[in-house]
Amino acid sequence: MAGRPLTHAELDALGPQPQDAVAALESGLFTADRAGFGFRHQLLLDAALAQLPPPRARALHGELGAVIAGPAAEVARHLRAAGQDDAAAQRLAGAASEALRVGAATEATAFLQEALDLRPGDPALLLDLAQAYAYNGRRDDAEATLERALRRIDSADHATRGAAHLRAARWHAGVLCWPRRTVEEASLALAALDRVPETDARTIAEAVALGAWAEAAAGDPARAEQLLRRFDALGVEDPDIRYENANARACQAMRQGRLEEAMDHFAEGIAAGGGSPDTIYAAWTNRAALAAALGRIAEALDYAEHGLAAVHDLGDLPPLVVPLHAQRATLLVRLDRIDDARAAIAAEREAAERSGAPSLLALAEHDEGLLCVAAGEYERGAALLSRALDQGAAVSRPVARLARAEALARLGRADEAEAELRAVTLEPVHAVDRPPVLVARLSHVQGLVALARDDADLATRRFEESAAAWRRLPTVGAGGELLANLVDLGRPTLGPVEPARELDRVLADQRRLAPLPT
């Protein structure tokens, strides 16, 4: 029934063995050594199974489910075969929890789907499944499953509904990186939990801290300040909750343009010693983004490397690994370490493929496309960016189209590049797109199109317009622009726009128009 050799401890737990056990050993059909007791060959096991009547098989599965020391999924298999569906579902939920702890979100999803086959509509299992989807980067599935769970919870059960909304706020703030939804879920959690007199201060403090972070990032800064004052009044010293508080204060400082202060708050959160994989990731990657915005690219790369190491130690969850590798690649390009950037992009793609989430795969296509354009691989870059746009990658679509237009123009495909530029003007523009940056880049690519058509006069005018636009832009980005990536795209900024670097690119193209010396 076990399908494998039994350990001596498991044999002892099963109780006294049949009188003919010694004779069985002497038959040569079995092996018994320090590793345990089992059949000498798989075919012998199969033959024995074929002779067992179903009632006896179910009884033996039940005995094994009660004593074996294997993984929860193995125990659940025996309990299910014994007809003990509730106990099997509990074990499968435990197996899913174990899988999530080591970053195996896909396996966790499979365990929970099997558990729900046994207990359809169980709200606790649905919440677990929503979390597994979130940790696998499947945002739409996580949202839909959360709604199914909430429909199963009594509207008058404020404690259970509050706990459910708090869990959702946690993964929306962390692995899904969706501040607007965190505002909603944290508010709903507090509204429910405040109606439960016996709610402990730690639970309230977590909801308050997550709400403060979300309001600071995407909501009302005054509401964020109010929540931060409430947090201080609760006096909770739990490391995980202190981390969330530091994270909220960092985002509040970023929104108000106090970038160095924000970096200090993120450092406080890391030093607090708490945090789950997604929160530790957020502290390091946001610190990297801030250092890059301040022009300290090598320091930013060091922070991103620390974040990747922390996430690796805590399970290598694809929704965390993908943006970290993308951030590293962007910073490595800024340091002209193109080969290292390629390796980072390859690791990003591997993590996206491991997740199987279409959204992460589309991000990997986009990020590799940008790297190819930066490295002069224009044909491949244009193809990758086209696929990413078709797949609906959560990126700045105008920026992606401009990069593709640049690649096409540099390939001499002026008509296609011009068509892509027209498509840029039809894309919605959000804060993350930074309209002044779009204008500067648009003029640059228009100059490249003119250059491809040998129209030197038009190319000169467009390059001059682009150069002037880049000179007007500030060297250091504002904190609000960094937060725009979180709010509009659901991931930290990959690296700052560097006007000086962009200006050098324009001037290099402008020099191509200068007459050669005779």
Side-chain angles (χ1 to χ4, degrees):
M1 288 298 99
R4 61 167 175 79
L6 292 168
T7 67
H8 295 296
E10 288 168 340
L11 281 172
D12 291 342
L14 286 167
Q17 300 306 305
Q19 292 298 316
D20 58 357
V22 174
L25 279 172
E26 292 174 348
S27 71
L29 300 178
F30 304 95
T31 60
D33 51 30
R34 295 181 63 185
F37 174 84
F39 280 94
R40 189 172 294 280
H41 196 283
Q42 179 68 32
L43 289 175
L44 295 171
L45 185 152
D46 293 343
L49 278 175
Q51 298 179 45
L52 276 174
R56 178 61 177 149
R58 282 196 298 273
L60 289 172
H61 276 301
E63 290 184 46
L64 285 168
V67 302
I68 63 170
E74 182 184 11
V75 177
R77 179 175 64 85
H78 290 296
L79 293 172
R80 187 171 188 179
Q84 300 175 29
D85 287 356
D86 283 347
Q90 289 177 353
R91 286 287 189 163
L92 286 164
S97 180
E98 290 175 7
L100 278 183
R101 275 198 293 273
V102 296
T106 301
E107 290 79 358
T109 300
F111 290 143
L112 289 163
Q113 287 169 334
E114 185 178 351
L116 280 161
D117 287 341
L118 301 173
R119 293 202 326 230
D122 183 297
L125 291 176
L126 286 168
L127 283 171
D128 289 345
L129 180 59
Q131 179 173 321
Y133 281 139
Y135 272 67
N136 211 26
R138 296 168 61 177
R139 189 167 83 172
D140 292 343
D141 289 329
E143 285 285 286
T145 308
L146 171 63
E147 287 305 310
R148 285 175 60 198
L150 289 169
R151 286 196 297 270
R152 292 278 182 166
I153 301 172
D154 190 335
S155 60
D157 187 353
H158 303 302
T160 303
R161 293 189 71 84
H165 286 300
L166 180 55
R167 281 186 75 181
R170 198 179 296 133
W171 69 64
H172 281 117
V175 69
L176 289 181
C177 197
W178 197 357
R180 288 194 181 100
R181 285 289 287 119
T182 310
V183 170
E184 298 170 18
E185 294 299 336
S187 296
L188 290 168
L190 279 173
L193 294 171
D194 282 342
R195 300 179 69 176
V196 183
E198 63 272 20
T199 302
D200 66 282
R202 185 195 182 282
T203 301
I204 293 292
E206 183 179 9
V208 168
L210 289 170
W213 170 82
E215 294 286 3
D220 180 359
R223 171 67 174 159
E225 287 291 346
Q226 180 185 9
L227 288 169
L228 288 170
R229 287 194 297 271
R230 182 178 179 184
F231 180 91
D232 290 339
L234 290 167
V236 173
E237 293 299 328
D238 180 277
D240 288 343
I241 309 305
R242 297 303 301 182
Y243 166 83
E244 295 294 353
N245 177 58
N247 193 28
R249 294 183 188 279
C251 285
Q252 186 79 326
M254 286 172 67
R255 189 158 182 179
Q256 295 168 355
R258 306 192 307 273
L259 303 193
E260 292 284 4
E261 181 185 333
M263 287 189 69
D264 291 341
H265 284 305
F266 282 126
E268 289 169 14
I270 294 168
S276 59
D278 44 343
T279 55
I280 291 297
Y281 145 85
W284 282 113
T285 194
N286 282 311
R287 205 172 181 206
L290 286 164
L294 293 165
R296 306 198 300 254
I297 306 301
E299 180 183 344
L301 180 61
D302 184 58
Y303 293 148
E305 299 283 5
H306 274 87
L308 190 64
V311 169
H312 176 73
D313 292 342
L314 294 165
D316 267 348
L317 294 167
L320 310 184
V321 172
V322 165
L324 270 169
H325 280 306
Q327 187 179 50
R328 289 177 59 247
T330 302
L331 296 168
L332 288 163
V333 168
R334 301 293 168 84
L335 295 170
D336 296 319
R337 293 168 54 184
I338 299 298
D339 288 342
D340 290 334
R342 291 184 202 280
I345 288 294
E348 176 186 0
R349 179 177 285 277
E350 186 277 329
E353 290 172 347
R354 177 159 48 89
S355 78
S359 59
L360 295 183
L361 289 165
L363 280 178
E365 297 265 86
H366 166 268
D367 296 341
E368 185 178 354
L370 290 184
L371 174 63
C372 287
V373 175
E377 299 172 12
Y378 302 122
E379 194 77 52
R380 178 164 173 76
L384 286 166
L385 289 168
S386 178
R387 288 208 299 267
L389 287 162
D390 289 344
Q391 293 163 9
V395 298
S396 170
R397 292 182 65 83
V399 170
R401 288 198 181 281
L402 281 170
R404 185 167 188 272
E406 176 183 341
L408 294 168
R410 291 189 187 280
L411 288 167
R413 291 154 59 178
D415 291 344
E416 293 176 67
E418 195 163 61
E420 196 68 68
L421 288 178
R422 287 195 295 272
V424 170
T425 65
L426 300 176
E427 292 285 359
V429 175
H430 304 285
V432 70
D433 302 311
R434 293 188 66 187
V437 169
L438 294 181
V439 169
R441 284 182 170 157
L442 184 66
S443 298
H444 185 186
V445 179
Q446 286 174 328
L448 292 172
V449 172
L451 195 61
R453 289 176 170 152
D454 295 323
D455 189 339
D457 290 340
L458 181 57
T460 297
R461 290 200 303 275
R462 294 295 180 254
F463 288 150
E464 288 174 351
E465 290 168 2
S466 179
W470 285 120
R471 289 187 180 102
R472 288 194 297 269
L473 282 168
T475 301
V476 176
E481 291 167 353
L482 298 178
L483 285 172
N485 274 74
L486 288 175
V487 176
D488 292 339
L489 302 182
R491 64 172 174 169
T493 182
L494 302 183
V497 174
E498 294 179 294
R501 188 184 184 94
E502 297 290 342
L503 176 60
D504 286 344
R505 294 178 68 242
V506 176
L507 296 178
D509 286 323
Q510 202 170 25
R511 285 192 289 273
R512 294 164 60 192
L513 292 165
L516 295 173
T518 58

